[in-house]
Amino acid sequence: MVRVFPARRWLAVATAAAGLVALTACGGPNTPGAPGGSPAPGPGGLLDRAPVATEAELAASPTAQAIRQRGQLIVGGELDLPLLSERNSITGETEGFDATLAKLLAKYIIGESAVKIAKATPETRETLLQVGTVDAVIRIYTITPQRAQKVAFAGPYLMSGQSIATLSRERSISKPADLDGKAVAAVAGTTSVDALKRVAPTAQVRTFGTANECIQALEAGQAVAYVHDLTVLAGAARLNDKIRVIGEPFTSDPYGIGLPPGDTEFKKFVNDWLAKIVQAGIWEELWKESLGTVVAGQPPAPPQLGSVPGS
């Protein structure tokens, strides 16, 4: 069974981590420490140690050059995914694995972690990239060959998998096959829906627009289980002691950074950056300070870049 530490208030986690990870806000002025801006990173923090692209590296990607000239990286992401990308209600900053990854990429391109997050749902991610609304999507975006026909993917940068969450009092579900015939919540437009249909063909799939809506449906009795990526469910269980994660992931899902279709130069640029932060140990430290606060054990090995179909 996946070990998830007992639920605690997210505020406590944010306070404890404040001296370790410096995070920029979603847009707004980039004044260190100011609301809506980026705090100054502490000594030895991730952003202090983050690499910055050379002029020669920037010259190889017109997209990266345009972002530097603009002075801000525009990322399709989220504001309410604990441990991944969530706005801190006190500081106004966005925290988590994906959110910090975006800030590290901004630092590499611009020299500072200036990021604007545009709301991206599983149903709008590809459109945002295709029409140029965002420079990249960093939002637990599973790489698939079908999606790779519409957008480019750098990575994978993280491996996870679909898991099951139920209310803590629920005892009729211990494995995916137990979902057959039962009402199960999932976020519309995600790989969770197809994965659920494969493992429990007769499950009554009820889709919702966001992860929060799925949790609400679970608590309201509209579903007896909720299927989503382990990283999302672990965050939900951390905040809500009514929720528990059942068993191990029953799929293997590679997360990629979604990029504009056909932009091979920018894809190589981002992959080169990913390789640098892995080699520098920054990826491992980021895991420990975000997902590693809930998922027990040592950090997993970063996935090999280009190792899955579509990457």
Side-chain angles (χ1 to χ4, degrees), residues 238-253:
R238 179 60 175 263
L239 296 177
N240 189 338
D241 57 10
K242 297 179 183 178
I243 305 298
R244 67 182 185 127
V245 181
I246 304 296
E248 300 288 344
F250 57 87
T251 67
S252 179
D253 293 338

Side-chain angles (χ1 to χ4, degrees), residues 98 101 125 137-144 152-158 253-259 274 308 311:
D98 284 354
L101 203 66
R125 291 177 294 199
V137 170
I138 305 179
R139 186 198 180 280
I140 53 170
Y141 199 177
T142 304
I143 301 171
T144 69
F153 280 107
Y157 69 87
L158 182 67
D253 293 338
Y255 290 160
I257 296 177
L259 302 172
L274 283 171
V308 300
S311 62

Side-chain angles (χ1 to χ4, degrees), residues 14 18 40 51 72 92 104-105 112 118 141 143-144 150 235 262 271 274 276 309:
Q72 186 179 59
L104 291 166
L105 178 56
E112 58 180 333
Y141 199 177
I143 301 171
T144 69
K150 302 175 183 178
N271 273 332
L274 283 171
K276 287 186 178 184

Side-chain angles (χ1 to χ4, degrees), residues 15-300:
T15 302
L20 298 177
V21 188
L23 303 171
T24 61
C26 306
N30 194 37
T31 304
S38 57
L46 293 180
L47 294 177
D48 275 346
R49 299 192 292 108
V52 177
T54 65
E55 292 299 328
E57 288 167 334
L58 282 167
S61 170
T63 299
Q65 292 178 65
I67 294 168
R68 173 174 278 194
Q69 185 172 11
R70 184 200 303 143
Q72 186 179 59
L73 176 69
I74 303 175
V75 171
E78 266 291 1
L79 300 176
D80 60 359
L81 291 178
L83 304 180
L84 292 165
S85 185
E86 182 182 47
R87 187 190 292 276
N88 184 305
S89 60
I90 294 178
T91 65
E93 297 158 15
T94 309
E95 304 170 340
F97 192 95
D98 284 354
T100 308
L101 203 66
K103 295 168 181 61
L104 291 166
L105 178 56
K107 172 76 179 291
Y108 187 64
I109 298 173
I110 303 165
E112 58 180 333
S113 53
V115 177
K116 176 181 178 180
I117 294 184
K119 174 76 172 179
T121 69
E123 296 176 306
T124 64
R125 291 177 294 199
E126 278 134 29
T127 300
L128 291 174
L129 286 168
Q130 290 168 348
V131 302
T133 303
V134 300
D135 301 312
V137 170
I138 305 179
R139 186 198 180 280
I140 53 170
Y141 199 177
T142 304
I143 301 171
T144 69
Q146 294 76 21
R147 288 175 175 171
Q149 294 177 8
K150 302 175 183 178
V151 302
F153 280 107
Y157 69 87
L158 182 67
M159 298 294 292
S160 190
Q162 300 297 313
S163 294
I164 303 166
T166 68
L167 294 180
S168 298
R169 65 174 181 267
E170 175 63 50
R171 290 294 180 268
S172 68
I173 297 169
S174 61
K175 57 186 182 300
D178 293 336
L179 300 176
D180 266 324
K182 296 182 174 67
V184 184
V187 178
T190 64
T191 53
S192 305
V193 177
D194 290 336
L196 177 54
K197 290 177 179 178
R198 288 195 299 271
V199 298
T202 65
Q204 301 167 30
V205 184
R206 297 181 178 174
T207 58
F208 298 87
T210 67
N212 281 343
E213 290 177 66
C214 288
I215 294 294
Q216 291 166 8
L218 199 57
E219 292 186 302
Q222 296 174 269
V224 297
Y226 164 33
V227 169
H228 209 319
D229 189 272
L230 173 61
T231 55
V232 176
L233 298 185
R238 179 60 175 263
L239 296 177
N240 189 338
D241 57 10
K242 297 179 183 178
I243 305 298
R244 67 182 185 127
V245 181
I246 304 296
E248 300 288 344
F250 57 87
T251 67
S252 179
D253 293 338
Y255 290 160
I257 296 177
L259 302 172
D263 196 339
T264 56
E265 293 89 353
F266 193 42
K267 175 177 176 176
K268 182 180 184 306
F269 179 90
V270 175
N271 273 332
D272 289 346
W273 160 75
L274 283 171
K276 287 186 178 184
I277 65 170
V278 167
Q279 185 175 11
I282 293 174
W283 187 97
E284 180 177 346
E285 188 174 339
L286 174 55
W287 168 274
K288 291 178 180 177
E289 295 179 358
S290 55
L291 296 167
T293 65
V294 167
V295 180
Q298 293 300 310

